């Protein structure tokens, strides 16, 4: 995306298939590297998709975790192929793998170097029985002298009107996060795989190990005025 136009990210784009994560991949997702990072260093960014927002329940929690080896401070697009395939979930690899039936919810979060974001709904049903998908998210990996200190979300209704915008941030006990703001969703009836596959843009904010200010955060969507960008999923 760019000012008053559109293009694919000029840095890094990853596409992943829905496959089970190996032990090594799972370790990369939630373990801290123990080293500080400079611009361009290799780092792990991971997406976890779950069939519940409550990670403290005694009930069985199903999830899929995918790891991406990214370059720190390169504006990055992560896309999960096959994450959205049908309105009623009947042909979906993702929902089948997680044992989710039509109308049930899917949640996702981002992990990097031992830090976790809050969760977001990916597929859900709103209060009016309207089945919707939140396909696009922007994760901000916060850095202090090369160390990942947290992961936050870029909020805003950048590509939709107020009638297609809702709050969508959850903690790990299944409750809503009070600081979460509204963002765009799409009606499932208007979705297709090329519109509603899960997409997460990743930017970095703060300083690297050498004290350099990171630049990729300048491309987060909240830095643009409404109408300045046309988003390509």
């Amino acid at each position: 995306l760019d000012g008053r136009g559109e293009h694919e990210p000029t840095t890094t784009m990853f596409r992943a298939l829905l496959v089970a994560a190996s032990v090594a991949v799972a370790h990369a997702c939630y373990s801290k590297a123990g080293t500080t990072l400079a611009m361009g260093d290799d780092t792990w960014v991971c997406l976890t998709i779950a069939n519940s927002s409550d990670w403290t329940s005694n009930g069985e929690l199903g999830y899929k975790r995918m790891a991406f080896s990214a370059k720190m401070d390169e504006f990055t697009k992560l896309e999960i192929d096959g994450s959205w395939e049908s309105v009623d979930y009947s042909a979906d690899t993702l929902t089948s793998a997680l044992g989710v039936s039509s109308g049930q919810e899917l949640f996702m979060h981002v992990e990097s170097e031992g830090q976790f974001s809050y969760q977001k709904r990916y597929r859900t049903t709103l209060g009016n029985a309207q089945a919707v998908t939140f396909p696009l998210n922007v994760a901000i990996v916060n850095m202090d002298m090369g160390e990942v200190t947290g992961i936050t979300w870029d909020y805003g209704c950048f590509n939709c009107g107020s009638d297609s915008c809702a709050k969508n941030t959850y903690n790990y006990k299944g409750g809503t996060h009070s600081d979460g703001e509204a963002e765009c969703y799409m009606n499932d009836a208007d979705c297709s795989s090329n519109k509603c596959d899960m997409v997460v843009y990743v930017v970095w904010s703060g300083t690297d190990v050498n004290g350099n200010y990171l630049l990729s955060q300048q491309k987060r969507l909240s830095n643009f005025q409404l109408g300045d960008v046309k988003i390509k999923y």
Side-chain angles (χ1 to χ4, degrees):
L1 52 92
D2 62 9
R4 307 193 185 282
E6 64 175 72
H7 61 74
E8 290 296 309
T10 57
T11 49
T12 307
M13 174 175 170
F14 295 102
R15 303 176 75 94
L17 298 175
L18 288 162
V19 295
S22 67
V23 173
V25 167
H27 180 78
C29 285
Y30 57 77
S31 294
K32 192 165 186 172
T35 57
T36 49
L37 300 169
M39 287 183 182
D41 281 353
D42 292 331
T43 183
W44 288 104
V45 178
C46 309
L47 300 182
T48 298
I49 308 168
N51 60 8
S52 172
S53 61
D54 187 357
W55 289 69
T56 65
S57 171
N58 292 328
E60 184 175 349
L61 178 75
Y63 65 90
K64 289 286 184 181
R65 177 175 284 131
M66 285 138 285
F68 304 83
S69 180
K71 297 289 186 182
M72 201 272 277
D73 204 34
E74 287 192 355
F75 180 53
T76 300
K77 179 183 180 180
L78 310 179
E79 182 172 358
I80 308 301
D81 282 338
S83 48
W84 201 105
E85 295 177 280
S86 65
V87 172
D88 62 1
Y89 299 10
S90 60
D92 288 54
T93 305
L94 176 58
T95 54
S96 297
L98 294 174
V100 175
S101 302
S102 180
Q104 292 183 292
E105 294 183 304
L106 287 178
F107 294 81
M108 60 81 67
H109 68 267
V110 173
E111 308 164 21
S112 183
E113 303 291 342
Q115 297 292 329
F116 297 73
S117 70
Y118 282 100
Q119 299 182 97
K120 288 180 174 290
R121 292 174 294 180
Y122 171 52
R123 299 191 68 171
T124 189
T125 300
L126 300 181
N128 57 0
Q130 179 183 15
V132 303
T133 298
F134 291 84
L136 176 67
N137 293 281
V138 180
I140 304 170
V141 182
N142 298 297
M143 310 286 294
D144 183 20
M145 295 301 294
E147 180 180 356
V148 178
T149 58
I151 303 173
T152 54
W153 295 106
D154 194 30
Y155 293 108
C157 300
F158 308 111
N159 203 38
C160 64
S162 59
D163 58 342
S164 298
C165 197
K167 290 188 175 183
N168 187 37
T169 310
Y170 291 79
N171 60 37
Y172 287 87
K173 295 181 179 180
T176 57
H177 177 47
S178 59
D179 291 338
E181 298 179 22
E183 57 197 79
C184 293
Y185 60 79
M186 291 188 66
N187 294 327
D188 279 6
D190 299 324
C191 275
S192 61
S193 59
N194 65 328
K195 289 182 178 180
C196 291
D197 268 351
M198 182 181 294
V199 172
V200 179
Y201 289 102
V202 183
V203 301
W204 283 259
S205 180
T207 54
D208 75 354
V209 67
N210 300 311
N212 298 310
Y213 286 98
L214 305 176
L215 303 177
S216 60
Q217 57 84 24
Q218 296 174 357
K219 297 184 179 181
R220 67 188 191 271
L221 297 182
S222 59
N223 278 347
F224 295 85
Q225 295 295 319
L226 185 63
D228 280 356
V229 295
K230 182 176 181 181
I231 299 170
K232 293 186 73 173
Y233 293 99

